[in-house]
Amino acid sequence: MSDFLVRLGENKAASAVVRGLGVPLPKALRRNTAPWTQALLQGKDVVFCAGTGAAAAAAVTRTLENAGAASHPVFPSDAPVDLRPHGLIFDATGLQDPDGLDEIYAFFHAHIRNLASGGRAIVLVRPPDTAADPVQRAARRAVEGLVRSMGRELGRKGATAQTVHVAEGAEDRLEAVLRFLLSASSAYVSGQVLHVATTVSSPAELIYDQPLAGKVALVTGSARGIGEATARALAREGATVIIMDRPAELAAAEAVAKSIGGSALGLDITNADAAAKIREHAEATHGGLDIVVHNAGVTRDKTLANMDEDRWNMVLDINLKALIRVNEALIDALRDGGRIVCLSSIGGIAGNVGQTNYAATKAGVIGYIEGLAPRLVDRGITVNAIAPGFIETQMTAKMPLATREVARRLCNLSQGGLPEDIAEAIVFLATPGASGLNGEVLRVCGGNFIGA
Ligand code: NAD
């Protein structure tokens, strides 16, 4: 579904009139459509500042160089450079106490005005929960508030801001994360905190052209919507994809599969033999399985007092119970270095009127990935969740007009996301380079105003 205000903003004459009336228009986001490349950031200027005692400077510099960006190193008190940079990065991994926050303030205060439209601001800091004392922890946590607020301020120019927690020794896992955050693939990710750790082993060599070549991926519920976009994006990066959806959607699933060189499977995820059939299909048709995306999901909204058992049971069965049952049965079939990504929702984080059933399942998914992630580290498998905000699909097209309009505007970027935004984040988590992220809930919500 297209967003009238975003389209209006793209028309120069019309947008000048509307802005003249004092109505803010959302900025059309520059999204990724092309395959990833080694030189992903070619021609992009990034201003980089290493704070006192910073430990990730070498990793940042190497990433920018590998990705083809022009790096402009500065000191915290330097005057702004004479350009409109695409990225501003501050390495605060040496942060000791609240006095150290002054350097972050000085850097962004000097440079943020110049950040290009659609630009990226990123702060790297050690995780607060590993701080030596409460004072250091306060300083590290303060970064989150500063950056989230920066994200709110940057939204009007379609720019974003994120915090990255870098565990001791995890600097070499930063490259894939920085590439994603600086690229057009993260256009609808704003105000988030990502945690990069060393618990899952990292491949010796990372390839950024066709990073999923040779991988077999299953996407449940992929005949349309977010699932279809995900299947297409995984295939674009080299994966062979199994398009699985309800038998009634088999023709649509086959059409998607045909267009991306994958295979189709008509199966209801709640069937008792669903996992066995998926496993059999993956092994017989593709010789194994590397990536599982649990995307199939439904809503059946009613306030709790009006919710009949059918609505409750259906949503619980599809979104949570079947997901867990299928996943548990597929873990053994997954090759080492595998990736599991589950679809949660900001509804599962913040709750929604009429969604006690849906929110229970989406919060349950978070509990499941958090519990499962540590269990598979020995096999190099990561388990993560994506929590989409308001995404323009058939699911949200069913919302009442006024609710839909409010849901669209209530985020830093003042617009809904597209299925492709979720697909790009899933691709990122599915790549070998994302080994630093495990047990994470990545919100792709444009910096939605609700939820944590
Ligand atoms: P959608 O309704 O467009 O697509 C869902 C797909 O899942 C459909 O193809 C459907 O046939 C399939 N499916 C449903 N029940 C199934 C079953 N029993 N077995 C097999 N397949 C089944 O929905 P969407 O908006 O693309 O959502 C995809 C996922 O993202 C869902 O898990 C949803 O909860 C989540 N999500 C969506 C939004 C949003 O704003 N659209 C927000 C948060 C989370």
Side-chain angles (χ1 to χ4, degrees):
M1 179 161 298
S2 96
D3 183 330
F4 172 70
L5 286 187
V6 174
R7 275 188 290 127
L8 196 65
E10 285 177 298
N11 178 318
K12 276 200 174 139
S15 68
V17 173
V18 177
R19 286 205 177 90
L21 297 171
V23 179
L25 284 177
K27 190 98 188 154
L29 303 179
R30 252 171 274 135
R31 295 181 155 96
N32 183 43
T33 50
W36 289 17
T37 58
Q38 176 69 30
L40 188 69
L41 304 172
Q42 193 71 46
K44 305 267 188 212
D45 290 299
V46 177
V47 179
F48 169 50
C49 182
T52 304
V60 175
T61 306
R62 196 171 50 242
T63 299
L64 296 176
E65 197 181 301
N66 287 349
S71 170
H72 303 273
V74 298
F75 291 105
S77 54
D78 280 357
V81 281
D82 188 20
L83 41 86
R84 293 189 74 71
H86 166 74
L88 298 174
I89 303 180
F90 190 94
D91 180 358
T93 50
L95 189 63
Q96 297 298 327
D97 55 37
D99 286 342
L101 295 167
D102 296 351
E103 287 187 341
I104 309 177
Y105 157 76
F107 171 71
F108 284 105
H109 177 67
H111 298 275
I112 200 158
R113 248 193 214 97
N114 289 348
L115 185 67
S117 144
R120 306 283 192 264
I122 299 170
V123 180
L124 311 174
V125 66
R126 295 288 188 215
D129 59 357
T130 60
D133 54 51
V135 174
Q136 189 179 45
R137 187 165 178 154
R140 290 181 180 181
R141 191 62 202 256
V143 170
E144 197 179 313
L146 187 162
V147 177
R148 281 190 199 275
S149 300
M150 200 155 59
R152 302 257 186 257
E153 294 178 11
L154 287 172
R156 74 186 94 120
K157 58 172 164 181
T160 64
Q162 334 283 350
T163 305
V164 181
H165 287 163
V166 192
E168 296 269 352
E171 293 78 14
D172 64 343
R173 314 291 170 93
L174 270 176
E175 177 156 352
V177 177
L178 290 176
R179 278 173 175 267
F180 172 69
L181 293 179
L182 288 167
S183 74
S185 293
S186 65
Y188 200 61
V189 179
S190 180
Q192 299 310 301
V193 184
L194 285 83
H195 309 88
V196 183
T198 55
T199 38
V200 177
S201 63
S202 172
E205 198 197 349
L206 291 174
I207 296 160
Y208 291 101
D209 292 293
Q210 293 283 284
L212 300 179
K215 306 283 184 195
V216 179
L218 165 79
V219 185
T220 68
S222 47
R224 66 168 198 233
I226 291 171
E228 178 188 353
T230 301
R232 292 189 184 283
L234 290 167
R236 186 195 69 203
E237 301 305 334
T240 302
V241 188
I242 303 167
I243 311 298
M244 198 222 97
D245 212 302
R246 291 172 300 147
E249 306 293 333
L250 183 58
E254 280 172 344
V256 177
K258 193 168 171 220
S259 68
I260 59 171
S263 65
L265 191 55
L267 198 59
D268 191 309
I269 200 83
T270 59
N271 286 358
D273 62 354
K277 287 224 161 100
I278 293 169
R279 191 171 175 163
E280 204 178 283
H281 176 90
E283 283 167 358
T285 314
H286 303 292
L289 195 57
D290 303 280
I291 298 161
V292 178
V293 182
H294 291 287
N295 165 78
V298 292
T299 50
R300 289 294 180 275
D301 297 0
K302 278 283 175 198
T303 55
L304 189 53
N306 293 325
M307 186 171 300
D308 54 51
E309 277 184 28
D310 285 351
R311 281 172 198 270
W312 172 260
N313 288 334
M314 183 187 190
V315 173
L316 266 286
D317 280 350
I318 296 173
N319 294 9
L320 187 62
K321 294 182 194 175
L323 182 156
I324 294 174
R325 196 168 52 243
V326 168
N327 195 65
E328 292 290 316
L330 289 180
I331 287 172
D332 281 350
L334 211 57
R335 285 192 276 246
D336 286 359
R339 299 281 183 260
I340 298 171
V341 184
C342 299
L343 268 290
S344 176
S345 165
I346 54 165
I349 296 170
N352 264 333
V353 173
Q355 291 199 323
T356 47
N357 52 357
Y358 183 76
T361 64
K362 295 301 181 180
V365 163
I366 294 176
Y368 181 59
I369 66 108
E370 286 173 346
L372 182 60
R375 266 176 45 197
L376 304 181
V377 292
D378 292 347
R379 294 178 52 202
I381 296 174
T382 64
V383 189
N384 292 294
I386 299 277
F390 177 90
I391 306 298
E392 310 274 0
T393 66
Q394 284 191 28
M395 190 181 263
T396 47
K398 287 185 204 141
M399 289 166 91
L401 182 70
T403 316
R404 189 166 66 229
E405 193 49 26
V406 171
R408 271 183 181 144
R409 306 298 159 218
L410 274 183
C411 73
N412 296 352
L413 299 164
S414 305
Q415 59 195 290
L418 299 182
E420 289 71 19
D421 296 320
I422 308 302
E424 292 297 314
I426 293 173
V427 164
F428 160 59
L429 290 176
T431 56
S435 62
L437 303 178
N438 192 28
E440 286 279 290
V441 181
L442 174 57
R443 281 177 48 167
V444 183
C445 63
N448 206 292
F449 290 175
I450 56 170

